[in-house]
Amino acid sequence: MSIEHSAYTRREFLNSGLVFASAALAVPSFLQRSAMAMARPLLGVSSVAGVPDDHILVVIQLSGGNDGLNTVVPYGMDAYHKARPGIGVSAKDALALSGADGIGLHPALAGLKEIYDDGALAVVQGVGYPNPNRSHFKSTDIWQTADISATGEGWLGRYFDSECCGFGKGESGKKDNSNEKSSTNSNPPGIAIGRTAPLSMQGRQITGVSFESPEMFRWSGESVDKGLAKAYEQSNLRGSEHTGGKETNADFLLRTALDAQVSSDLIRKAIASAPRITYPNGQFASQLRMIGQMIAAGLKTRVYYATLGGFDTHAGQGGAQGRHANNLRQLGDALKAFQADLRQQGNAGRVLTMTFSEFGRRVSQNASGGTDHGTAAPMFLMGEMVRPGVHADHPSLTKLDEGDLIYGVDFRSVYAAILESWLVASSKDVLQGDFDPFPVIKRA
C-alpha cells in the first residue's frame, strides 16, 4: 500500500499534536507543519509583510495558582494583615514599589525589584475574568485558549495560524477555513521548554515545538539501530530534492523530515553555545538560559514558553520565608539573569516577557498556614517596551466575592495589548472577540 493511500493522511499528522523527539525511531521527531514553519525562516525564506520579525514574546506560566497577595503585597492595607496573621508579609519586609503607595514585592523578589527600578517592569494588578473557575485544569485552559468556555485552539496557536501561515485570512481578507494552506512564507512557531507543547500554542495547523533538553531534540533512530542511519540520510536527501508541483503525502513526510533535522541541528547548536552570563541553579533558570541562548543565536522563533511549578500552596506557605518564598526567589533571580543576558546580547529591546498563573489565592489564610484557590492575581510584563510601574487599582480586600478578590482587568485585554502593540496582529481575530488593549506596551 502506498503512503498516499494509507490511513495516515497529512491532515491526521497535522492534527495529531507533537510526537516526542525521544520516542521517534524510523521517522523524524515530529511530523507536522510546525517543523517546516520553524526551519524555513531559519534558512532565509521571507516572512509575512508587516509583521516585525525582531519582536519576541516569552511566556512564563506560574503553575499551581500563584498567591498574588503575597507576590505583589498590599502591605499598606490593614485588611491584608488581619486576613493573614501567620503568613502575611510585613511592611518592613516588603520591597516597596515607587509610585505605588503601600504596594511592594515579596522580599524574595529582589531580582525582580531591580528590574522594576531599572524601568523595565510593569505590574498589572487584579487580573482575572468573569465567573472565575477555581479548578486548576479548567482555569488553565481558560487562560490558554482565551475563551471562558475553555474550548478551542490556544490563543498563541491561533496567532501562529493567522500570522505565520495565513490561516483565517484568504486572499480577499475573508476567513478561510482550509487546513491545507501552504506554509512556504510562514514564520516559525513557538518553542516550549518542557515535555509537551502547552494548549496555548496549539493551533489548527501549527503546534509549538517542545523539548526538555537539547539532547532529546533529535532523531534517535540511530541509537536504537545503527543500520537506520543510512536510510534516514537517504530520506532527507530525497526530501531536499523536491522541486514543487503537487505534493503527495510521501513528499510531505520527506520534506518534514528534512526540516525537522535542520531545526534540531540549529537549536542544539544554539543551546550548546556558552551563555554570556551565569544563571542561578535550578530547572526554571535552566529553561530561561536555553531560551536566552536560542535568542542569542539568532533563531527567528517568535514565541518561547517556560513553566515554573509548585504554586499550589494549601499548607505551609510561609510569609517572608517558606515554600512560596522559595518559588518567588527562583522566579526573581532567574528573570534578573535572563534580562541581564538579553542586555549583554543587545536584545533587551526585542524581548517582551509575560508571566501568568491560572488563578490567585483566597484573601484569608486557611487553618493549615496556607491559602486555597482564589481568583484575581497580578501579571508581570518585563522589557524595555513596557510602560513601567504599577497599573490598575489593587482589588478591594473588604468587598469580596465569597471571600475572593473581584478582578478589575480582564486578562484578554492584556493579551490584546501584546498582540496589537508588540506582535502586530489582529487581537479581534486571534482572541475571537473585542477586548480593549490594556495600555501597558509603549510602542508597536
Side-chain angles (χ1 to χ4, degrees), residues 212-231:
E212 289 185 282
S213 67
E215 292 76 20
M216 293 183 67
F217 190 65
R218 64 182 178 85
W219 181 76
S220 58
E222 186 177 0
S223 63
V224 177
D225 185 343
K226 293 184 181 298
L228 294 173
K230 185 175 182 179

Side-chain angles (χ1 to χ4, degrees), residues 22-349:
S22 59
L25 296 177
V27 293
S29 59
F30 45 88
L31 301 176
Q32 51 188 317
R33 290 193 190 276
S34 57
M36 294 183 292
M38 180 171 184
R40 288 195 174 137
L42 293 172
L43 294 172
V45 177
S46 62
S47 60
V48 179
V51 177
D53 287 336
D54 62 326
H55 287 191
I56 295 169
L57 172 66
V58 176
V59 178
I60 296 173
Q61 179 179 350
L62 307 180
S63 183
N66 177 43
D67 179 20
L69 289 176
N70 271 21
T71 300
V72 179
V73 183
Y75 65 85
M77 298 182 181
D78 290 339
Y80 167 76
H81 300 286
K82 290 178 181 178
R84 299 180 167 214
I87 67 168
V89 176
S90 68
K92 67 179 180 62
D93 288 331
L95 305 176
L97 296 177
S98 60
D101 290 342
I103 301 293
L105 294 177
H106 190 287
L109 288 173
L112 208 57
K113 175 63 161 50
E114 289 188 33
I115 299 171
Y116 183 92
D117 291 341
D118 288 340
L121 183 70
V123 180
V124 185
Q125 301 187 108
V127 185
Y129 55 87
N131 302 314
N133 191 293
R134 293 166 182 79
S135 161
H136 289 294
F137 303 106
K138 187 77 169 181
S139 193
T140 296
D141 287 353
I142 288 171
W143 277 81
Q144 297 204 356
T145 60
D147 187 331
I148 301 303
S149 69
T151 59
E153 302 84 27
W155 74 283
L156 291 170
R158 290 195 296 271
Y159 161 70
F160 297 148
D161 284 343
S162 178
E163 300 299 326
C164 298
C165 57
F167 178 81
K169 296 179 182 178
E171 293 181 1
S172 65
K174 295 180 180 179
K175 191 160 183 75
D176 182 351
N177 289 321
S178 169
N179 276 342
E180 299 296 330
K181 191 173 287 292
S182 171
S183 63
T184 301
N185 291 320
S186 61
N187 278 302
I191 295 178
I193 309 300
R195 292 185 60 84
T196 59
L199 173 59
S200 61
M201 298 177 84
Q202 297 177 20
R204 294 191 185 186
Q205 289 196 88
I206 298 294
T207 296
V209 174
S210 68
F211 54 88
E212 289 185 282
S213 67
E215 292 76 20
M216 293 183 67
F217 190 65
R218 64 182 178 85
W219 181 76
S220 58
E222 186 177 0
S223 63
V224 177
D225 185 343
K226 293 184 181 298
L228 294 173
K230 185 175 182 179
Y232 180 69
E233 181 180 359
Q234 291 174 342
S235 293
N236 282 342
L237 289 173
R238 286 179 58 198
S240 66
E241 294 167 357
H242 184 77
T243 57
K246 181 175 176 57
E247 185 184 67
T248 67
N249 280 323
D251 293 331
F252 170 76
L253 296 182
L254 291 171
R255 184 160 54 84
T256 305
L258 178 61
D259 286 344
Q261 183 63 44
V262 170
S263 297
S264 172
D265 291 344
L266 288 169
I267 288 173
R268 286 187 291 112
K269 182 178 179 180
I271 295 176
S273 63
R276 288 165 169 76
I277 67 155
T278 301
Y279 280 76
N281 295 326
Q283 186 176 27
F284 176 66
S286 177
Q287 292 179 51
L288 292 188
R289 176 182 55 77
M290 286 191 283
I291 291 172
Q293 288 168 291
M294 288 185 279
I295 293 171
L299 270 67
K300 293 186 178 180
T301 299
R302 306 277 306 280
V303 180
Y304 294 92
Y305 199 102
T307 302
L308 176 60
F311 286 94
D312 197 17
T313 52
H314 286 281
Q317 177 175 318
Q321 304 295 328
R323 289 177 53 203
H324 191 235
N326 289 335
N327 279 349
L328 294 181
R329 188 171 294 105
Q330 290 183 64
L331 175 68
D333 291 353
L335 285 175
K336 176 185 174 182
F338 182 59
Q339 193 67 8
D341 192 3
L342 295 176
R343 285 196 298 268
Q344 287 282 339
Q345 298 173 20
N347 285 323

